[in-house]
Amino acid sequence: MEQPFDLTLIWAGIIAFGVMMYVLMDGFDLGQGILFPFAPTEHHRDVMMNSVAPVWDGNETWLVLGGAGLLAAFPLVYSVFLPALYIGVFLLLAGLIFRGVAFEFRFKAKTSRYLWNWAFAGGSIVASFAQGAVVGAYIQGFKTENFRYVGGALDWLTPFTVITGIGLVAGYALLGATWLIMKSEGEVQQWAYKVAPRLLLAVLVVFAVISVYTPFVDPRVMARWFDSISILWILPVLALYCAWVIYQSLQKQREGTPFVATMGLFLFTYLGLLASKWPYMVPPDYTLWDAASAYESQLFLLLGFLFVIPIVLAYTAWTYWVFRGKVKQGGYH
């Protein structure tokens, strides 16, 4: 019996949206931790932590939402990705747990505060690198037979995934610096203005390396981008335009524009990745429809998600509205 809607496409859109929301919402939060070791003083670190304290735990709701949706709608992804990326996923979760604990205990610590500083920074860097490496592993594909992963435990760790991991660390740091520009003032803001252009340069260098490297990792990506003139080229053009806007707004010391433009840079890069791999959910062999669960399962879970997502969006919007001001060492004002 023909189904009235292709729920697989709807679920692909939901998962893609959830992942993008997590990257944008939690990226600047992780960026604060990445920048932590380079902050000049404890006052800078206090302001950095206070700038994300009201929203950091809510940001990770999108990771839970995306992960739960992925398990329900595309179970093949879990059956392949978990054995293929077990170590990478473990590092990701361990980093998030470590930084979460450090976030809470640093506020209470006195003599041991420097240890929690390093724990927060280390957890943020490890989690960010692991996320980038997982993205790189997705781009390069997995060894599968009969819907099972048949590769080794460290096949995901290659020079390409190391580059993508470093690239996401730099990108999150840039997102964190531009967030700090928008949320701080005085010497903290000036420090963020100083480091942001260097981070932008690092991101662009890694972006260029990955762009050149990726077509050689997956020949189908090369064919999609280079066999004919494609409308897809508008995505990297828009990403570079966002980078130009970031640079110009930093030079003019604007407060909100650098952060918004950095989000645009992430968005267009992410859309370029999705366009490169479409419609493969478990590259290089299995498409969205190969990885999808039964129609009835997708429909049942979709009803729940359509109820939950507006609540999460409303909660996120409300939180950012309430804490829309700038932050000093003691909190928002």
Side-chain angles (χ1 to χ4, degrees), residues 34-315:
I34 295 167
L35 293 172
F36 230 55
F38 309 101
T41 67
E42 280 298 297
H43 167 66
H44 287 69
R45 296 186 186 96
D46 288 340
V47 172
M48 291 164 72
M49 273 199 143
N50 282 318
S51 73
V52 297
V55 298
W56 76 277
D57 50 351
N59 290 339
E60 294 181 355
T61 303
W62 292 103
L63 180 63
V64 176
L65 196 68
L70 195 63
L71 175 61
F74 300 101
L76 180 64
V77 173
Y78 269 74
S79 66
V80 172
F81 279 30
L82 284 185
L85 301 171
Y86 181 81
I87 297 175
V89 172
F90 171 80
L91 290 173
L92 166 60
L93 296 177
L96 292 176
I97 293 170
F98 221 67
R99 71 187 297 272
V101 172
F103 201 105
E104 297 297 336
F105 277 85
R106 182 186 178 275
F107 285 113
K108 301 176 177 65
K110 301 298 180 183
T111 57
S112 62
R113 176 171 282 202
Y114 72 98
L115 295 175
W116 295 116
N117 285 346
W118 283 109
F120 182 63
S124 299
I125 293 169
V126 168
S128 301
F129 177 83
Q131 288 179 28
V134 166
V135 172
Y138 169 74
I139 294 172
Q140 66 186 13
F142 304 91
K143 296 177 183 176
T144 56
E145 288 181 8
N146 298 321
F147 299 95
R148 292 174 54 250
Y149 177 69
V150 295
L154 290 176
D155 284 4
W156 63 275
L157 188 60
T158 65
F160 180 72
T161 60
V162 170
I163 293 171
T164 56
I166 293 172
L168 196 60
V169 171
Y172 280 168
L174 175 61
L175 203 56
T178 54
W179 168 265
L180 198 58
I181 288 170
M182 186 171 64
K183 288 293 181 178
S184 64
E185 55 189 17
E187 59 179 322
V188 178
Q189 187 184 62
Q190 290 306 310
W191 174 74
Y193 274 123
K194 183 179 178 181
V195 300
R198 301 172 188 174
L199 293 169
L200 175 61
L201 177 61
V203 169
L204 291 177
V205 169
V206 177
F207 178 82
V209 172
I210 293 174
S211 298
V212 173
Y213 204 152
T214 298
F216 296 97
V217 171
D218 186 347
R220 279 186 288 208
V221 174
M222 179 177 285
R224 179 155 296 178
W225 286 87
F226 293 100
D227 277 2
S228 60
I229 298 176
S230 173
I231 194 173
L232 296 180
W233 280 99
I234 195 173
L235 296 173
V237 169
L238 289 172
L240 290 174
Y241 172 72
C242 288
W244 173 251
V245 172
I246 296 168
Y247 175 75
Q248 287 290 306
S249 58
L250 289 173
Q251 294 299 306
K252 297 175 181 178
Q253 296 215 336
R254 292 176 178 165
E255 295 187 343
T257 306
F259 180 69
V260 174
T262 304
M263 293 179 75
L265 178 62
F266 267 86
L267 176 62
F268 293 122
T269 303
Y270 177 69
L271 291 176
L273 168 62
L274 295 182
S276 297
K277 304 302 291 185
W278 178 266
Y280 292 94
M281 197 70 173
V282 184
D285 299 315
Y286 302 119
T287 66
L288 296 169
W289 296 273
D290 296 324
S293 59
Y295 181 88
E296 292 77 12
S297 298
Q298 290 183 335
L299 180 60
F300 175 75
L301 292 161
L302 180 62
L303 298 177
F305 265 67
L306 291 179
F307 175 75
V308 171
I309 289 176
I311 295 175
V312 177
L313 283 172
Y315 166 78

